Amino acid sequence: MARAVCLQLAFTSWLIGSLYSLSHTVLTSRLPFCKMNKITHFICDIKPLLKLACTDTHLNESLVNIVTGSLGFITFVMIIISYTFIGIHLQNIRSEQGRSKAFSTCTSHLTVVLLFFGTAFCTYLSPVTKDSLEQDRITAVLFTVITPALNPIIYALRNKEVKKAFRRRYFIKWIKSICD
């Protein structure tokens, strides 16, 4: 990738993220909060914060649904398009073993992408209700904790030395448990 393209992609991502956050910050800062100031969530997320407002938050909720949905959908589609191109190019790999290894890697990555976007879409595109906030806490754990934790596991288990060490360690424990 050319340096200029890389810089443009990084700058565009930074700019969109900053503008998105700024729009939520400005609209939320204008809301009056008259309920207790305790968010029952493990992160300070926008939807639980809107529940504390004592006025109509329709504009804020629309921003969450429309802008988050659009940005998330566009990002997801771009990822799927890139994986489609990767899949097309993988068909040109001559060796069956090489093609199988590449497809295996792509499949594990795509699984993490689907888990992340699936839970994020369920969280941010569903209407705000009392029950949905409880559900949001659960799905937020998936896309803020579980999904990032899966990445090192997926990469580590693809490494032959890690697999060998993992098998050796648990094989020895298994043998010891049988002998005892």
Side-chain angles (χ1 to χ4, degrees), residues 38 51 58 60 95 101 109 176 180:
K38 188 173 183 181
K51 288 299 279 183
H58 181 72
N60 298 70
S95 87
K101 186 176 179 180
H109 294 173
K176 284 182 180 179
D180 289 339

Side-chain angles (χ1 to χ4, degrees), residues 28-71:
T28 305
S29 69
R30 301 181 65 164
L31 293 174
F33 293 97
C34 54
K35 295 180 182 176
M36 67 175 196
N37 292 330
K38 188 173 183 181
I39 296 176
T40 56
H41 211 284
F42 74 98
I43 58 173
C44 185
D45 204 7
I46 188 67
K47 285 174 78 176
L49 187 61
L50 293 179
K51 288 299 279 183
L52 296 178
C54 57
T55 188
D56 181 34
T57 58
H58 181 72
L59 180 63
N60 298 70
E61 290 172 24
S62 296
L63 178 73
V64 169
N65 289 337
I66 294 169
V67 177
T68 304
S70 299
L71 288 175

Side-chain angles (χ1 to χ4, degrees), residues 16 20 23-24 46-47 59-78 116-127 143:
I16 290 171
Y20 176 72
S23 65
H24 280 303
I46 188 67
K47 285 174 78 176
L59 180 63
N60 298 70
E61 290 172 24
S62 296
L63 178 73
V64 169
N65 289 337
I66 294 169
V67 177
T68 304
S70 299
L71 288 175
F73 183 74
I74 290 168
T75 306
F76 181 70
V77 167
M78 289 173 67
F116 175 79
F117 278 97
T119 54
F121 284 150
C122 288
T123 300
Y124 292 108
L125 299 182
S126 63
F143 76 85

Side-chain angles (χ1 to χ4, degrees), residues 124-165:
Y124 292 108
L125 299 182
S126 63
V128 179
T129 64
K130 186 175 183 174
D131 294 335
S132 75
L133 290 178
E134 177 62 34
Q135 220 174 351
D136 288 351
R137 275 194 292 268
I138 295 165
T139 55
V141 169
L142 281 173
F143 76 85
T144 60
V145 178
I146 305 297
T147 305
L150 283 177
N151 274 330
I153 294 169
I154 286 171
Y155 288 117
L157 292 179
R158 305 218 43 81
N159 185 315
K160 287 180 184 177
E161 290 99 30
V162 172
K163 280 183 187 177
K164 224 186 280 184

Side-chain angles (χ1 to χ4, degrees), residues 54-112:
C54 57
T55 188
D56 181 34
T57 58
H58 181 72
L59 180 63
N60 298 70
E61 290 172 24
S62 296
L63 178 73
V64 169
N65 289 337
I66 294 169
V67 177
T68 304
S70 299
L71 288 175
F73 183 74
I74 290 168
T75 306
F76 181 70
V77 167
M78 289 173 67
I79 290 170
I80 296 301
I81 289 171
S82 70
Y83 272 99
T84 302
F85 282 122
I86 290 170
I88 290 168
H89 288 288
L90 291 181
Q91 296 298 324
N92 297 331
I93 295 177
R94 286 183 176 43
S95 87
E96 183 65 33
Q97 184 182 13
R99 189 171 37 246
S100 175
K101 186 176 179 180
F103 270 117
S104 174
T105 301
C106 286
T107 303
S108 59
H109 294 173
L110 210 48
T111 302
V112 173

